[in-house]
Amino acid sequence: MSFLLFFRGMIATLVVFAIATFALTQSAWTTVVSTAICAVTIQVGYFAAILFMVWRDSGKENEAAQRAEREGRTQHPSAADNTDSSSSRPIGTVTRPRH
């Protein structure tokens, strides 16, 4: 999720939250404090989600590197090779077509 999309959604959520809080409490001070707490909570959740996604992707890379090391490969076959190494290429590897 891009930051701009998140930011627009957060602003819209905070506006709706502020309107609802003011309608329930009829207090501007309570509305401001509650909305600020809600904003911090949303940002902490966004940070945690981004941190989790980065951690998950790094785990996949480490797993792939360990698997390649166990199989005796240190690098994937290069697309620049002129030899046909399609039989030794790992499943899911995408190469550019040669013209």
Side-chain angles (χ1 to χ4, degrees):
M1 174 186 290
S2 70
F3 177 73
L4 184 59
L5 185 63
F6 161 75
F7 189 69
R8 282 189 283 172
M10 185 181 78
I11 294 298
T13 302
L14 291 175
V15 166
V16 170
F17 181 83
I19 291 170
T21 303
F22 186 75
L24 291 172
T25 64
Q26 297 295 314
S27 169
W29 179 248
T30 302
T31 299
V32 168
V33 171
S34 297
T35 305
I37 291 170
C38 183
V40 170
T41 304
I42 290 172
Q43 290 178 358
V44 167
Y46 181 74
F47 177 77
I50 296 297
L51 194 63
F52 175 73
M53 287 189 288
V54 168
W55 173 75
R56 185 179 61 186
D57 284 346
S58 68
K60 288 180 182 178
E61 289 176 4
N62 289 339
E63 181 181 310
Q66 289 173 355
R67 184 177 32 211
E69 187 175 308
R70 280 194 306 264
E71 294 173 1
R73 294 179 301 194
T74 57
Q75 295 178 351
H76 292 293
S78 165
D81 290 342
N82 289 334
T83 61
D84 183 23
S85 60
S86 60
S87 61
S88 64
R89 189 172 298 134
I91 295 174
T93 302
V94 178
T95 58
R96 295 186 337 207
R98 297 182 192 137
H99 296 283

